């Protein structure tokens, strides 16, 4: 039988709900047979598009769609230098599209290709945030009423910038300038710094001022409040987002132990992975890490030494389903569970790919879910349904999701200041805070 080959590779750049998405569509020599994959790196989307168009596409055209493993391995080293976020995202778009095609050819959802179901649906966690403990609590209550049992809680630190409280009604300029009344909480910027900051001179692209100790105190007050109000039945999660000095992170992980978090995420920057050993020896707070990892060199030590409990990898940052299923299998051997990264800047195709592994993996932990905007839902028919706190597969072959290309064309990337860079967050003395 004549092999079915890769006939065309399309890169679709679209922004239906103010988040830049990158989707790969592979068309084959079989009329009507195509696959879609997620290549979304929302801070550098056009670099990923160039990596696909200029390098991967000419490299894989004509290859047999059945040979996913060989296409992945040969593409991975086709750049010689490897393991970076741009090239991995490009590779992920191709890889996931090939898994989608294989499922369609076998008339099976991808989780069946991987060995079938370990569960019927994937429990998810959602994000509750606010400017006060009461506001966060009310948001938590509204999610509980909708059937969610795992809820990530983040709160604005009075007077400072905070990760995860996107709905903050504290204007950026105020977040940038903790006023005198907060001086008891922590350092405040100098007048000259603030003048330059507000005039956007030296410190352009304001992401606000962050100080670790006010943040930790306000986070601890939030955990206390949420446990007081809802008890210990609810599973609460929290994302530090790599912003505090490592030794403070060790202290913080011990302080939160009594609140019995489901997990504490991104306690350190990936450059400080070595500190996790200290945490492991001093507390049983469950640890989640991984969204910033791209390379096997970062991942293997954390799993083999059981330094984490949950793998938070952004699947397209490691190159797609092919490597993610291998990382999952390694995790199972070390009893480390999965918790794939799944906020709004994982595309709907990426969420569908996450779900395939969630349904199949024995060592599934939890799935992060982002409630999609209306346009996003319409653009991606088959977006996994979220009901009763779980994400449900639709049982369709492949990834079970598609993209409306005509609609995608109507929502091109918007212009962005500073190239759409991630927040430039600074300490009160003006020095950079690493996310
Ligand atoms: C999370 C992540 C995200 C990232 C974002 C970066 O836990 O969901 O921390 O919020 O910050 O995906 O673009
Ligand atoms: Mg995170």
């Amino acid at each position: 039988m004549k092999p079915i080959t890769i006939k065309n590779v399309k890169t679709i750049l679209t922004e239906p709900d103010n988040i830049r998405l990158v989707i790969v569509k592979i068309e084959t020599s079989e009329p009507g047979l195509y696959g879609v994959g997620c290549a979304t790196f929302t801070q550098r989307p056009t670099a990923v598009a160039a990596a696909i168009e200029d390098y991967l596409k000419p490299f894989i055209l004509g290859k047999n769609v059945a040979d996913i493993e060989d296409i992945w391995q040969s593409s991975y080293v086709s750049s010689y230098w490897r393991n970076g976020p741009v090239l991995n995202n490009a590779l992920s778009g191709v890889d996931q599209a090939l898994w989608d095609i294989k499922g369609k050819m076998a008339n099976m959802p991808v989780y069946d290709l991987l060995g079938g179901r370990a569960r019927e649906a994937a429990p998810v966690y959602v994000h509750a945030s606010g400017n006060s403990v009461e506001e966060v609590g009310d948001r938590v209550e509204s999610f509980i009423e909708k059937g969610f049992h795992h809820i990530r809680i983040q709160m604005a630190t009075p007077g400072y910038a905070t990760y995860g409280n996107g709905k903050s009604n504290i204007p950026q300029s105020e977040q940038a300038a903790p006023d005198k009344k907060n001086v008891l909480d922590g350092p405040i910027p100098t007048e000259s710094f603030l003048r330059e900051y507000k005039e956007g001179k030296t410190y352009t692209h304001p992401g606000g001022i962050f100080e670790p100790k006010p943040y930790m105190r306000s986070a601890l007050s939030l955990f206390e409040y949420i446990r007081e109000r809802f008890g210990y039945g609810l599973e609460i999660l929290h994302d530090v987002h790599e912003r505090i000095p490592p030794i403070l992170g060790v202290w913080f992980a011990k302080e939160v132990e009594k609140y019995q978090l489901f997990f504490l995420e991104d306690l350190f920057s990936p450059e400080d992975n070595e500190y996790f050993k200290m945490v492991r020896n001093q507390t049983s707070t469950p640890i989640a890490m991984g969204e910033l990892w791209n390379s096997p060199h970062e991942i293997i030590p954390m799993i083999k030494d059981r330094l984490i409990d949950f793998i938070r990898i952004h699947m397209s940052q490691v190159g797609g389903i092919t490597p993610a299923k291998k990382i999952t299998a390694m995790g199972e051997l070390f009893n480390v569970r999965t918790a794939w990264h799944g906020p709004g800047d994982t595309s709907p195709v990426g969420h569908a790919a996450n779900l395939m592994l969630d349904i199949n993996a024995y060592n599934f932990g939890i799935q992060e879910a982002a409630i999609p905007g209306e346009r996003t839902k319409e653009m991606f028919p088959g977006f996994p349904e979220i009901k009763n706190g779980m994400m449900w597969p639709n049982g369709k072959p492949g990834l079970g999701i598609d993209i409306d290309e005509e609609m995608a064309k109507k929502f091109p990337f918007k212009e962005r200041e500073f190239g759409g860079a991630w927040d430039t967050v600074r300490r009160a003395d003006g020095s950079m805070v690493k996310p």
Side-chain angles (χ1 to χ4, degrees):
M1 192 171 111
K2 200 158 168 282
I4 295 174
T5 59
I6 296 173
K7 190 155 172 275
N8 189 22
V9 179
K10 290 168 135 176
T11 309
I12 302 166
L13 303 180
T14 186
E15 182 175 343
D17 286 303
N18 307 312
I19 299 176
R20 297 183 291 187
L21 305 176
V22 184
I23 305 295
V24 170
K25 181 169 185 174
I26 290 184
E27 294 169 335
T28 74
S29 54
E30 176 81 8
L33 177 62
Y34 64 88
V36 290
C38 177
T40 297
F41 175 7
T42 200
Q43 287 82 5
R44 293 292 182 269
T46 54
V48 175
I52 298 161
E53 288 299 318
D54 302 346
Y55 303 105
L56 275 192
K57 179 173 179 177
F59 183 73
I60 64 173
L61 281 180
K63 290 190 184 238
N64 182 339
V65 296
D67 300 335
I68 301 176
E69 187 64 29
D70 185 66
I71 290 173
W72 193 93
Q73 296 294 350
S74 55
S75 301
Y76 175 60
V77 296
S78 65
S79 54
Y80 186 60
W81 278 275
R82 49 195 178 259
N83 297 324
V86 172
L87 299 182
N88 279 359
N89 269 280
L91 185 47
S92 166
V94 166
D95 179 73
Q96 292 185 6
L98 291 173
W99 278 100
D100 189 25
I101 289 165
K102 192 175 277 294
K104 288 173 178 173
M105 289 172 71
N107 194 26
M108 283 184 196
V110 169
Y111 55 76
D112 274 342
L113 299 177
L114 297 172
R117 299 186 309 168
R119 61 194 54 73
E120 62 170 349
V124 300
Y125 74 87
V126 285
H127 298 177
S129 63
N131 296 311
S132 67
V133 290
E134 295 81 7
E135 224 180 84
V136 180
D138 293 347
R139 194 98 178 90
V140 167
E141 193 160 328
S142 69
F143 277 129
I144 293 170
E145 285 159 8
K146 290 183 184 126
F148 292 101
H149 185 67
H150 297 76
I151 301 174
R152 189 187 83 172
I153 52 176
Q154 310 285 142
M155 179 176 73
T157 305
Y160 292 93
T162 318
Y163 162 75
N165 184 30
K167 305 273 177 302
S168 167
N169 61 13
I170 302 174
Q172 197 77 43
S173 57
E174 269 181 54
Q175 285 187 30
D179 60 24
K180 299 283 184 284
K181 71 174 183 299
N182 289 308
V183 71
L184 296 180
D185 270 349
I188 54 175
T190 60
E191 285 308 317
S192 52
F193 166 82
L194 280 179
R195 197 171 37 256
E196 290 193 34
Y197 193 97
K198 287 185 177 171
E199 288 159 10
K201 287 201 181 102
T202 316
Y203 304 106
T204 52
H205 187 226
I209 306 296
F210 172 88
E211 281 293 326
K213 295 205 171 166
Y215 151 71
M216 292 191 294
R217 279 194 287 273
S218 72
L220 289 168
S221 72
L222 174 64
F223 303 152
E224 182 67 31
Y225 174 84
I226 293 296
R227 283 307 186 206
E228 269 301 301
R229 180 165 165 181
F230 299 100
Y232 282 74
L234 174 73
E235 291 290 7
I236 57 175
L237 305 83
H238 184 73
D239 191 346
V240 176
H241 218 268
E242 314 100 18
R243 291 187 171 184
I244 58 182
I247 197 60
L248 296 186
V250 176
W251 176 83
F252 191 63
K254 292 196 291 181
E255 278 301 293
V256 305
E257 187 172 281
K258 56 180 167 297
Y259 297 113
Q260 296 176 36
L261 299 187
F262 181 80
F263 68 51
L264 185 63
E265 177 183 348
D266 283 23
L267 190 55
F268 307 130
S269 286
E271 296 80 11
D272 294 321
N273 274 347
E274 282 300 304
Y275 270 90
F276 280 108
K277 287 186 184 116
M278 277 190 214
V279 174
R280 264 336 209 202
N281 296 332
Q282 300 187 45
T283 172
S284 64
T285 293
I287 296 298
M289 181 75 187
E291 68 185 60
L292 277 170
W293 292 339
N294 306 290
S295 161
H297 311 305
E298 302 171 288
I299 297 164
I300 293 167
M302 302 305 287
I303 294 177
K304 81 173 177 58
D305 297 336
R306 296 174 173 88
L307 296 176
I308 56 173
D309 301 284
F310 295 93
I311 303 165
R312 282 283 295 136
I313 284 172
H314 182 104
M315 194 184 291
S316 61
Q317 292 288 351
V318 293
I321 291 172
T322 296
K325 71 183 178 65
K326 296 168 183 175
I327 293 165
T328 302
M330 179 184 177
E332 181 180 338
L333 298 179
F334 291 88
N335 210 343
V336 176
R337 291 168 281 171
T338 64
W340 303 113
H341 187 238
D345 52 293
T346 294
S347 75
V349 176
H351 283 281
N354 286 343
L355 183 58
M356 296 298 126
L357 291 180
D358 294 344
I359 298 299
N360 165 255
Y362 172 69
N363 58 315
F364 164 80
I366 190 76
Q367 177 55 58
E368 179 177 15
I371 312 295
E374 284 313 306
R375 285 191 187 135
T376 301
K377 266 173 82 172
E378 186 188 343
M379 188 184 290
F380 291 89
F383 192 104
E385 186 187 14
I386 296 172
K387 191 178 64 186
N388 301 332
M390 313 254 274
M391 189 183 277
W392 295 83
N394 56 30
K396 289 184 181 157
L399 297 176
I401 194 164
D402 204 342
I403 180 168
D404 177 338
E405 277 191 76
E406 289 317 304
M407 183 178 175
K409 287 178 189 147
K410 294 179 188 149
F411 297 97
F413 287 170
K414 295 189 181 87
E415 282 303 308
R416 277 174 170 77
E417 274 194 313
F418 312 106
W422 182 253
D423 288 350
T424 304
V425 179
R426 295 182 182 279
R427 299 284 298 269
D429 69 0
S431 57
M432 267 300 299
V433 172
K434 224 185 332 185

